[in-house]
Amino acid sequence: MNINFPLLLVVLTAVTGIIWLIDGRFFRPRRQERYAQSGARKSAEDAADSNDPDQPWLAEVSRSFFPILLVVLVLRSFLVEPFQIPSGSMLPTLEVGDFILVNKFTYGLRLPVAHWEIADFGDPERGDIMVFRYPVEPSVNYIKRVVGVPGDRVAYEGKQLYVNGEPVPSAFVASLGNQDLHREKLGGDVFSTLYAQRRTDPDAEGEWTVPEGHYFVMGDNRDNSRDSRYWGMVSDQHVVGKAFAIWMHWESLTSLPSFHRVGWIQ
């Protein structure tokens, strides 16, 4: 079952905040007044400084959790959000089980759940590793590398990527089983890619022009990635943020988490 965590976090924050506000505004003063009149304190002012022993459990829970939920909501929505890599489409750059951090304000601030942009700080650039909402199923997050920005002509033929008619520099490094490791340069970024030694899937070849407000993305594991070559461009409205660091690796519940891959993402 796919849980919409951002929506759940917004709802929990709103509910606990409303309960805390209503209790503090209307019910807590009445409890304190009754407590003061009981003779347990010398004055209502002393009672106001008490621990409010008659506070209902729902109000107590809301009062305790609302500040925590609010901080998590702000950090996750506007600053940094963690993600886990679920597939090998970004090998060798990102491995299955990598936990990454995504900068949420590199490309601008967006409201959680609604995804409306409220501040624009820049646009994705060629070479960026970008997290976005999958255009076919927006409730699912994908991660790929940006290879084409608005106005670009992107072509892929014979395991060679072209941008605006120019081949993207690619140098063979080594053979790894049935795959070849390459080093490529796109924009100002140099990174590793994998190509299967078998023939390229004909459906992955072609030429595309990136329309305004959209981006062409590909996985670094070029022959094992479902990306813009298959399902089209990523709209600016679906952009989530830029991946910038690995903070943990944990492949499955049967293994222990490790930190040998901690570092900046290239």
mmCIF file of all heavy atoms in Angstrom, residues 74-83 99-110 119 121-124 128-132 143 238-247 264-265:
data_model
loop_
_atom_site.group_PDB
_atom_site.id
_atom_site.type_symbol
_atom_site.label_atom_id
_atom_site.label_comp_id
_atom_site.label_asym_id
_atom_site.label_seq_id
_atom_site.Cartn_x
_atom_site.Cartn_y
_atom_site.Cartn_z
ATOM 1 N N VAL A 74 8.087 21.454 8.269
ATOM 2 C CA VAL A 74 8.819 22.572 7.660
ATOM 3 C C VAL A 74 10.130 22.089 7.040
ATOM 4 O O VAL A 74 10.459 22.429 5.895
ATOM 5 C CB VAL A 74 9.083 23.672 8.703
ATOM 6 C CG1 VAL A 74 10.035 24.722 8.137
ATOM 7 C CG2 VAL A 74 7.772 24.326 9.138
ATOM 8 N N LEU A 75 10.888 21.264 7.794
ATOM 9 C CA LEU A 75 12.166 20.763 7.281
ATOM 10 C C LEU A 75 11.966 19.908 6.037
ATOM 11 O O LEU A 75 12.658 20.072 5.031
ATOM 12 C CB LEU A 75 12.877 19.949 8.366
ATOM 13 C CG LEU A 75 13.432 20.722 9.562
ATOM 14 C CD1 LEU A 75 14.027 19.763 10.580
ATOM 15 C CD2 LEU A 75 14.493 21.723 9.121
ATOM 16 N N ARG A 76 10.994 19.011 6.098
ATOM 17 C CA ARG A 76 10.768 18.072 5.005
ATOM 18 C C ARG A 76 10.178 18.745 3.772
ATOM 19 O O ARG A 76 10.474 18.362 2.643
ATOM 20 C CB ARG A 76 9.840 16.961 5.484
ATOM 21 C CG ARG A 76 9.728 15.784 4.554
ATOM 22 C CD ARG A 76 8.773 14.755 5.124
ATOM 23 N NE ARG A 76 8.770 13.536 4.332
ATOM 24 C CZ ARG A 76 8.086 13.358 3.215
ATOM 25 N NH1 ARG A 76 7.338 14.348 2.746
ATOM 26 N NH2 ARG A 76 8.130 12.227 2.554
ATOM 27 N N SER A 77 9.357 19.762 3.968
ATOM 28 C CA SER A 77 8.670 20.396 2.852
ATOM 29 C C SER A 77 9.504 21.467 2.166
ATOM 30 O O SER A 77 9.388 21.665 0.956
ATOM 31 C CB SER A 77 7.353 21.014 3.334
ATOM 32 O OG SER A 77 6.500 20.037 3.887
ATOM 33 N N PHE A 78 10.361 22.170 2.930
ATOM 34 C CA PHE A 78 11.025 23.342 2.373
ATOM 35 C C PHE A 78 12.549 23.277 2.391
ATOM 36 O O PHE A 78 13.195 24.075 1.712
ATOM 37 C CB PHE A 78 10.578 24.593 3.119
ATOM 38 C CG PHE A 78 9.090 24.813 3.079
ATOM 39 C CD1 PHE A 78 8.342 24.768 4.237
ATOM 40 C CD2 PHE A 78 8.443 25.043 1.885
ATOM 41 C CE1 PHE A 78 6.966 24.973 4.206
ATOM 42 C CE2 PHE A 78 7.075 25.245 1.832
ATOM 43 C CZ PHE A 78 6.323 25.202 2.995
ATOM 44 N N LEU A 79 13.138 22.340 3.144
ATOM 45 C CA LEU A 79 14.593 22.321 3.252
ATOM 46 C C LEU A 79 15.189 21.034 2.694
ATOM 47 O O LEU A 79 15.716 21.020 1.592
ATOM 48 C CB LEU A 79 15.013 22.531 4.709
ATOM 49 C CG LEU A 79 14.604 23.877 5.322
ATOM 50 C CD1 LEU A 79 15.028 23.955 6.780
ATOM 51 C CD2 LEU A 79 15.194 25.034 4.535
ATOM 52 N N VAL A 80 15.130 19.959 3.461
ATOM 53 C CA VAL A 80 15.754 18.704 3.052
ATOM 54 C C VAL A 80 14.800 17.548 3.322
ATOM 55 O O VAL A 80 14.173 17.487 4.378
ATOM 56 C CB VAL A 80 17.080 18.462 3.818
ATOM 57 C CG1 VAL A 80 17.657 17.102 3.462
ATOM 58 C CG2 VAL A 80 18.082 19.556 3.486
ATOM 59 N N GLU A 81 14.701 16.635 2.360
ATOM 60 C CA GLU A 81 13.840 15.466 2.517
ATOM 61 C C GLU A 81 14.638 14.205 2.223
ATOM 62 O O GLU A 81 15.400 14.163 1.258
ATOM 63 C CB GLU A 81 12.636 15.552 1.575
ATOM 64 C CG GLU A 81 11.663 14.400 1.727
ATOM 65 C CD GLU A 81 10.414 14.583 0.876
ATOM 66 O OE1 GLU A 81 10.312 15.608 0.176
ATOM 67 O OE2 GLU A 81 9.549 13.688 0.921
ATOM 68 N N PRO A 82 14.495 13.157 3.038
ATOM 69 C CA PRO A 82 15.207 11.898 2.773
ATOM 70 C C PRO A 82 14.421 11.014 1.816
ATOM 71 O O PRO A 82 13.193 11.004 1.821
ATOM 72 C CB PRO A 82 15.294 11.257 4.166
ATOM 73 C CG PRO A 82 14.073 11.751 4.877
ATOM 74 C CD PRO A 82 13.811 13.141 4.349
ATOM 75 N N PHE A 83 15.139 10.260 1.001
ATOM 76 C CA PHE A 83 14.545 9.287 0.096
ATOM 77 C C PHE A 83 15.400 8.031 0.098
ATOM 78 O O PHE A 83 16.603 8.086 0.355
ATOM 79 C CB PHE A 83 14.471 9.825 -1.340
ATOM 80 C CG PHE A 83 13.417 10.865 -1.565
ATOM 81 C CD1 PHE A 83 13.722 12.209 -1.432
ATOM 82 C CD2 PHE A 83 12.125 10.509 -1.916
ATOM 83 C CE1 PHE A 83 12.758 13.182 -1.641
ATOM 84 C CE2 PHE A 83 11.150 11.471 -2.135
ATOM 85 C CZ PHE A 83 11.464 12.808 -1.988
ATOM 86 N N PHE A 99 20.250 5.667 1.031
ATOM 87 C CA PHE A 99 19.358 6.697 1.561
ATOM 88 C C PHE A 99 19.975 8.044 1.237
ATOM 89 O O PHE A 99 21.106 8.324 1.642
ATOM 90 C CB PHE A 99 19.176 6.536 3.081
ATOM 91 C CG PHE A 99 18.235 5.431 3.468
ATOM 92 C CD1 PHE A 99 18.616 4.101 3.359
ATOM 93 C CD2 PHE A 99 16.958 5.723 3.928
ATOM 94 C CE1 PHE A 99 17.753 3.073 3.708
ATOM 95 C CE2 PHE A 99 16.081 4.707 4.280
ATOM 96 C CZ PHE A 99 16.472 3.383 4.174
ATOM 97 N N ILE A 100 19.252 8.845 0.496
ATOM 98 C CA ILE A 100 19.801 10.103 0.010
ATOM 99 C C ILE A 100 19.067 11.291 0.612
ATOM 100 O O ILE A 100 17.964 11.168 1.144
ATOM 101 C CB ILE A 100 19.726 10.181 -1.531
ATOM 102 C CG1 ILE A 100 18.259 10.196 -1.992
ATOM 103 C CG2 ILE A 100 20.490 9.027 -2.159
ATOM 104 C CD1 ILE A 100 18.091 10.484 -3.469
ATOM 105 N N LEU A 101 19.711 12.444 0.522
ATOM 106 C CA LEU A 101 19.109 13.701 0.944
ATOM 107 C C LEU A 101 18.832 14.546 -0.292
ATOM 108 O O LEU A 101 19.680 14.645 -1.187
ATOM 109 C CB LEU A 101 20.028 14.451 1.905
ATOM 110 C CG LEU A 101 20.314 13.766 3.243
ATOM 111 C CD1 LEU A 101 21.317 14.583 4.052
ATOM 112 C CD2 LEU A 101 19.034 13.565 4.041
ATOM 113 N N VAL A 102 17.660 15.155 -0.303
ATOM 114 C CA VAL A 102 17.240 15.963 -1.453
ATOM 115 C C VAL A 102 17.020 17.402 -1.005
ATOM 116 O O VAL A 102 16.277 17.655 -0.053
ATOM 117 C CB VAL A 102 15.947 15.396 -2.068
ATOM 118 C CG1 VAL A 102 15.434 16.305 -3.175
ATOM 119 C CG2 VAL A 102 16.194 13.996 -2.592
ATOM 120 N N ASN A 103 17.692 18.317 -1.674
ATOM 121 C CA ASN A 103 17.534 19.746 -1.392
ATOM 122 C C ASN A 103 16.217 20.221 -1.990
ATOM 123 O O ASN A 103 16.033 20.196 -3.201
ATOM 124 C CB ASN A 103 18.715 20.518 -1.997
ATOM 125 C CG ASN A 103 18.749 21.969 -1.576
ATOM 126 O OD1 ASN A 103 17.706 22.603 -1.438
ATOM 127 N ND2 ASN A 103 19.934 22.496 -1.374
ATOM 128 N N LYS A 104 15.289 20.673 -1.129
ATOM 129 C CA LYS A 104 13.951 21.041 -1.586
ATOM 130 C C LYS A 104 13.852 22.488 -2.076
ATOM 131 O O LYS A 104 12.848 22.870 -2.675
ATOM 132 C CB LYS A 104 12.924 20.832 -0.457
ATOM 133 C CG LYS A 104 12.798 19.391 0.021
ATOM 134 C CD LYS A 104 12.276 18.477 -1.059
ATOM 135 C CE LYS A 104 10.819 18.703 -1.367
ATOM 136 N NZ LYS A 104 9.907 18.247 -0.318
ATOM 137 N N PHE A 105 14.877 23.319 -1.803
ATOM 138 C CA PHE A 105 14.757 24.728 -2.183
ATOM 139 C C PHE A 105 15.701 25.138 -3.309
ATOM 140 O O PHE A 105 15.724 26.296 -3.709
ATOM 141 C CB PHE A 105 14.967 25.646 -0.973
ATOM 142 C CG PHE A 105 16.307 25.519 -0.306
ATOM 143 C CD1 PHE A 105 17.401 26.236 -0.746
ATOM 144 C CD2 PHE A 105 16.468 24.692 0.790
ATOM 145 C CE1 PHE A 105 18.634 26.137 -0.134
ATOM 146 C CE2 PHE A 105 17.699 24.581 1.422
ATOM 147 C CZ PHE A 105 18.786 25.295 0.954
ATOM 148 N N THR A 106 16.476 24.174 -3.853
ATOM 149 C CA THR A 106 17.374 24.503 -4.961
ATOM 150 C C THR A 106 16.618 25.084 -6.140
ATOM 151 O O THR A 106 17.042 26.052 -6.778
ATOM 152 C CB THR A 106 18.142 23.252 -5.418
ATOM 153 O OG1 THR A 106 18.930 22.768 -4.336
ATOM 154 C CG2 THR A 106 19.049 23.579 -6.594
ATOM 155 N N TYR A 107 15.466 24.481 -6.453
ATOM 156 C CA TYR A 107 14.676 24.914 -7.597
ATOM 157 C C TYR A 107 13.485 25.771 -7.190
ATOM 158 O O TYR A 107 12.670 26.145 -8.039
ATOM 159 C CB TYR A 107 14.174 23.703 -8.374
ATOM 160 C CG TYR A 107 15.259 22.730 -8.777
ATOM 161 C CD1 TYR A 107 15.091 21.359 -8.607
ATOM 162 C CD2 TYR A 107 16.461 23.174 -9.334
ATOM 163 C CE1 TYR A 107 16.081 20.463 -8.983
ATOM 164 C CE2 TYR A 107 17.451 22.279 -9.701
ATOM 165 C CZ TYR A 107 17.263 20.922 -9.525
ATOM 166 O OH TYR A 107 18.238 20.040 -9.889
ATOM 167 N N GLY A 108 13.340 26.084 -5.907
ATOM 168 C CA GLY A 108 12.218 26.900 -5.451
ATOM 169 C C GLY A 108 11.438 26.205 -4.357
ATOM 170 O O GLY A 108 11.595 25.010 -4.117
ATOM 171 N N LEU A 109 10.583 26.953 -3.684
ATOM 172 C CA LEU A 109 9.765 26.421 -2.603
ATOM 173 C C LEU A 109 8.376 26.072 -3.119
ATOM 174 O O LEU A 109 7.771 26.845 -3.862
ATOM 175 C CB LEU A 109 9.649 27.439 -1.462
ATOM 176 C CG LEU A 109 10.956 27.843 -0.774
ATOM 177 C CD1 LEU A 109 10.675 28.843 0.338
ATOM 178 C CD2 LEU A 109 11.672 26.620 -0.220
ATOM 179 N N ARG A 110 7.888 24.900 -2.691
ATOM 180 C CA ARG A 110 6.560 24.445 -3.083
ATOM 181 C C ARG A 110 5.776 24.043 -1.844
ATOM 182 O O ARG A 110 6.341 23.481 -0.899
ATOM 183 C CB ARG A 110 6.649 23.259 -4.049
ATOM 184 C CG ARG A 110 7.358 23.586 -5.351
ATOM 185 C CD ARG A 110 7.535 22.347 -6.213
ATOM 186 N NE ARG A 110 8.339 22.639 -7.409
ATOM 187 C CZ ARG A 110 7.827 23.040 -8.554
ATOM 188 N NH1 ARG A 110 6.512 23.167 -8.682
ATOM 189 N NH2 ARG A 110 8.602 23.296 -9.594
ATOM 190 N N ALA A 119 7.955 30.206 -4.436
ATOM 191 C CA ALA A 119 9.186 30.979 -4.634
ATOM 192 C C ALA A 119 10.060 30.241 -5.632
ATOM 193 O O ALA A 119 10.230 29.024 -5.546
ATOM 194 C CB ALA A 119 9.928 31.175 -3.313
ATOM 195 N N PHE A 121 13.765 29.785 -7.177
ATOM 196 C CA PHE A 121 15.177 30.069 -6.924
ATOM 197 C C PHE A 121 16.083 29.616 -8.065
ATOM 198 O O PHE A 121 17.285 29.827 -8.026
ATOM 199 C CB PHE A 121 15.635 29.388 -5.630
ATOM 200 C CG PHE A 121 14.915 29.875 -4.396
ATOM 201 C CD1 PHE A 121 14.679 29.024 -3.334
ATOM 202 C CD2 PHE A 121 14.475 31.187 -4.301
ATOM 203 C CE1 PHE A 121 14.022 29.467 -2.193
ATOM 204 C CE2 PHE A 121 13.817 31.638 -3.171
ATOM 205 C CZ PHE A 121 13.581 30.776 -2.107
ATOM 206 N N GLY A 122 15.535 28.954 -9.069
ATOM 207 C CA GLY A 122 16.368 28.471 -10.165
ATOM 208 C C GLY A 122 15.716 27.296 -10.859
ATOM 209 O O GLY A 122 14.656 26.820 -10.452
ATOM 210 N N ASP A 123 16.358 26.825 -11.916
ATOM 211 C CA ASP A 123 15.836 25.720 -12.715
ATOM 212 C C ASP A 123 16.819 24.558 -12.728
ATOM 213 O O ASP A 123 18.035 24.758 -12.577
ATOM 214 C CB ASP A 123 15.580 26.183 -14.155
ATOM 215 C CG ASP A 123 14.553 27.299 -14.232
ATOM 216 O OD1 ASP A 123 13.530 27.193 -13.532
ATOM 217 O OD2 ASP A 123 14.786 28.272 -14.983
ATOM 218 N N PRO A 124 16.324 23.339 -12.916
ATOM 219 C CA PRO A 124 17.227 22.191 -13.073
ATOM 220 C C PRO A 124 18.179 22.406 -14.239
ATOM 221 O O PRO A 124 17.814 22.989 -15.259
ATOM 222 C CB PRO A 124 16.261 21.031 -13.336
ATOM 223 C CG PRO A 124 14.969 21.452 -12.695
ATOM 224 C CD PRO A 124 14.899 22.939 -12.910
ATOM 225 N N ASP A 128 22.192 17.503 -13.368
ATOM 226 C CA ASP A 128 21.604 17.403 -12.027
ATOM 227 C C ASP A 128 20.931 16.047 -11.841
ATOM 228 O O ASP A 128 20.293 15.528 -12.759
ATOM 229 C CB ASP A 128 20.547 18.488 -11.808
ATOM 230 C CG ASP A 128 21.138 19.873 -11.618
ATOM 231 O OD1 ASP A 128 22.376 19.986 -11.620
ATOM 232 O OD2 ASP A 128 20.358 20.829 -11.474
ATOM 233 N N ILE A 129 21.074 15.484 -10.643
ATOM 234 C CA ILE A 129 20.291 14.303 -10.274
ATOM 235 C C ILE A 129 19.036 14.815 -9.585
ATOM 236 O O ILE A 129 19.108 15.412 -8.514
ATOM 237 C CB ILE A 129 21.089 13.368 -9.356
ATOM 238 C CG1 ILE A 129 22.329 12.858 -10.080
ATOM 239 C CG2 ILE A 129 20.226 12.196 -8.908
ATOM 240 C CD1 ILE A 129 23.198 11.933 -9.254
ATOM 241 N N MET A 130 17.912 14.593 -10.206
ATOM 242 C CA MET A 130 16.669 15.225 -9.785
ATOM 243 C C MET A 130 15.634 14.197 -9.326
ATOM 244 O O MET A 130 15.447 13.159 -9.960
ATOM 245 C CB MET A 130 16.092 16.041 -10.953
ATOM 246 C CG MET A 130 14.849 16.847 -10.625
ATOM 247 S SD MET A 130 14.350 17.901 -12.023
ATOM 248 C CE MET A 130 13.664 16.684 -13.165
ATOM 249 N N VAL A 131 14.994 14.510 -8.207
ATOM 250 C CA VAL A 131 13.847 13.734 -7.742
ATOM 251 C C VAL A 131 12.588 14.443 -8.230
ATOM 252 O O VAL A 131 12.478 15.665 -8.156
ATOM 253 C CB VAL A 131 13.838 13.614 -6.207
ATOM 254 C CG1 VAL A 131 12.549 12.958 -5.719
ATOM 255 C CG2 VAL A 131 15.044 12.812 -5.737
ATOM 256 N N PHE A 132 11.662 13.649 -8.748
ATOM 257 C CA PHE A 132 10.436 14.230 -9.299
ATOM 258 C C PHE A 132 9.292 13.245 -9.106
ATOM 259 O O PHE A 132 9.501 12.051 -8.833
ATOM 260 C CB PHE A 132 10.609 14.550 -10.796
ATOM 261 C CG PHE A 132 11.060 13.371 -11.615
ATOM 262 C CD1 PHE A 132 10.140 12.521 -12.230
ATOM 263 C CD2 PHE A 132 12.414 13.088 -11.758
ATOM 264 C CE1 PHE A 132 10.556 11.438 -12.977
ATOM 265 C CE2 PHE A 132 12.841 11.992 -12.497
ATOM 266 C CZ PHE A 132 11.907 11.172 -13.110
ATOM 267 N N ILE A 143 13.790 9.117 -9.444
ATOM 268 C CA ILE A 143 15.050 9.860 -9.455
ATOM 269 C C ILE A 143 15.816 9.508 -10.724
ATOM 270 O O ILE A 143 15.991 8.336 -11.058
ATOM 271 C CB ILE A 143 15.892 9.567 -8.191
ATOM 272 C CG1 ILE A 143 17.189 10.406 -8.197
ATOM 273 C CG2 ILE A 143 16.196 8.073 -8.052
ATOM 274 C CD1 ILE A 143 17.928 10.394 -6.871
ATOM 275 N N HIS A 238 6.134 18.794 -11.592
ATOM 276 C CA HIS A 238 6.402 17.523 -10.927
ATOM 277 C C HIS A 238 7.774 17.484 -10.258
ATOM 278 O O HIS A 238 8.129 16.480 -9.635
ATOM 279 C CB HIS A 238 6.293 16.372 -11.930
ATOM 280 C CG HIS A 238 4.887 16.071 -12.334
ATOM 281 N ND1 HIS A 238 4.563 15.440 -13.515
ATOM 282 C CD2 HIS A 238 3.709 16.325 -11.712
ATOM 283 C CE1 HIS A 238 3.260 15.304 -13.597
ATOM 284 N NE2 HIS A 238 2.722 15.839 -12.521
ATOM 285 N N VAL A 239 8.558 18.541 -10.382
ATOM 286 C CA VAL A 239 9.898 18.576 -9.797
ATOM 287 C C VAL A 239 9.806 18.624 -8.271
ATOM 288 O O VAL A 239 9.022 19.390 -7.708
ATOM 289 C CB VAL A 239 10.687 19.786 -10.319
ATOM 290 C CG1 VAL A 239 12.006 19.936 -9.568
ATOM 291 C CG2 VAL A 239 10.939 19.635 -11.816
ATOM 292 N N VAL A 240 10.607 17.797 -7.601
ATOM 293 C CA VAL A 240 10.638 17.761 -6.136
ATOM 294 C C VAL A 240 11.893 18.443 -5.595
ATOM 295 O O VAL A 240 11.830 19.279 -4.705
ATOM 296 C CB VAL A 240 10.562 16.310 -5.620
ATOM 297 C CG1 VAL A 240 10.773 16.265 -4.101
ATOM 298 C CG2 VAL A 240 9.209 15.699 -5.982
ATOM 299 N N GLY A 241 13.066 18.082 -6.116
ATOM 300 C CA GLY A 241 14.294 18.695 -5.612
ATOM 301 C C GLY A 241 15.527 18.031 -6.205
ATOM 302 O O GLY A 241 15.440 17.123 -7.041
ATOM 303 N N LYS A 242 16.688 18.488 -5.755
ATOM 304 C CA LYS A 242 17.972 18.008 -6.266
ATOM 305 C C LYS A 242 18.640 17.129 -5.220
ATOM 306 O O LYS A 242 18.862 17.547 -4.084
ATOM 307 C CB LYS A 242 18.872 19.193 -6.608
ATOM 308 C CG LYS A 242 20.255 18.797 -7.133
ATOM 309 C CD LYS A 242 21.095 20.025 -7.430
ATOM 310 C CE LYS A 242 22.480 19.636 -7.927
ATOM 311 N NZ LYS A 242 23.317 20.823 -8.223
ATOM 312 N N ALA A 243 19.001 15.898 -5.613
ATOM 313 C CA ALA A 243 19.710 14.991 -4.716
ATOM 314 C C ALA A 243 21.157 15.451 -4.585
ATOM 315 O O ALA A 243 21.804 15.778 -5.585
ATOM 316 C CB ALA A 243 19.656 13.567 -5.259
ATOM 317 N N PHE A 244 21.660 15.471 -3.333
ATOM 318 C CA PHE A 244 23.018 15.993 -3.159
ATOM 319 C C PHE A 244 23.909 15.139 -2.257
ATOM 320 O O PHE A 244 25.119 15.329 -2.246
ATOM 321 C CB PHE A 244 22.968 17.422 -2.596
ATOM 322 C CG PHE A 244 22.469 17.539 -1.182
ATOM 323 C CD1 PHE A 244 23.359 17.544 -0.109
ATOM 324 C CD2 PHE A 244 21.119 17.652 -0.922
ATOM 325 C CE1 PHE A 244 22.893 17.668 1.185
ATOM 326 C CE2 PHE A 244 20.642 17.777 0.371
ATOM 327 C CZ PHE A 244 21.536 17.781 1.439
ATOM 328 N N ALA A 245 23.364 14.198 -1.496
ATOM 329 C CA ALA A 245 24.219 13.426 -0.598
ATOM 330 C C ALA A 245 23.600 12.074 -0.265
ATOM 331 O O ALA A 245 22.377 11.903 -0.268
ATOM 332 C CB ALA A 245 24.481 14.199 0.698
ATOM 333 N N ILE A 246 24.472 11.099 0.016
ATOM 334 C CA ILE A 246 24.075 9.808 0.566
ATOM 335 C C ILE A 246 24.397 9.832 2.058
ATOM 336 O O ILE A 246 25.521 10.164 2.440
ATOM 337 C CB ILE A 246 24.831 8.650 -0.114
ATOM 338 C CG1 ILE A 246 24.553 8.637 -1.615
ATOM 339 C CG2 ILE A 246 24.462 7.313 0.522
ATOM 340 C CD1 ILE A 246 25.441 7.662 -2.386
ATOM 341 N N TRP A 247 23.426 9.492 2.893
ATOM 342 C CA TRP A 247 23.686 9.535 4.335
ATOM 343 C C TRP A 247 23.652 8.159 4.995
ATOM 344 O O TRP A 247 24.102 8.001 6.140
ATOM 345 C CB TRP A 247 22.699 10.467 5.032
ATOM 346 C CG TRP A 247 21.252 10.047 4.981
ATOM 347 C CD1 TRP A 247 20.364 10.272 3.975
ATOM 348 C CD2 TRP A 247 20.523 9.339 5.990
ATOM 349 N NE1 TRP A 247 19.129 9.759 4.274
ATOM 350 C CE2 TRP A 247 19.195 9.173 5.514
ATOM 351 C CE3 TRP A 247 20.856 8.840 7.254
ATOM 352 C CZ2 TRP A 247 18.211 8.519 6.247
ATOM 353 C CZ3 TRP A 247 19.869 8.194 7.987
ATOM 354 C CH2 TRP A 247 18.564 8.035 7.485
ATOM 355 N N TRP A 264 28.988 13.051 -0.765
ATOM 356 C CA TRP A 264 28.281 13.846 -1.773
ATOM 357 C C TRP A 264 28.044 13.013 -3.019
ATOM 358 O O TRP A 264 28.841 12.149 -3.378
ATOM 359 C CB TRP A 264 29.106 15.093 -2.129
ATOM 360 C CG TRP A 264 29.465 15.950 -0.972
ATOM 361 C CD1 TRP A 264 30.724 16.180 -0.488
ATOM 362 C CD2 TRP A 264 28.577 16.684 -0.112
ATOM 363 N NE1 TRP A 264 30.677 17.007 0.595
ATOM 364 C CE2 TRP A 264 29.380 17.336 0.855
ATOM 365 C CE3 TRP A 264 27.197 16.859 -0.068
ATOM 366 C CZ2 TRP A 264 28.837 18.144 1.847
ATOM 367 C CZ3 TRP A 264 26.655 17.649 0.922
ATOM 368 C CH2 TRP A 264 27.468 18.284 1.859
ATOM 369 N N ILE A 265 26.954 13.288 -3.698
ATOM 370 C CA ILE A 265 26.610 12.586 -4.922
ATOM 371 C C ILE A 265 27.215 13.322 -6.116
ATOM 372 O O ILE A 265 27.067 14.536 -6.239
ATOM 373 C CB ILE A 265 25.072 12.491 -5.100
ATOM 374 C CG1 ILE A 265 24.469 11.684 -3.943
ATOM 375 C CG2 ILE A 265 24.736 11.846 -6.421
ATOM 376 C CD1 ILE A 265 22.957 11.671 -3.970
#
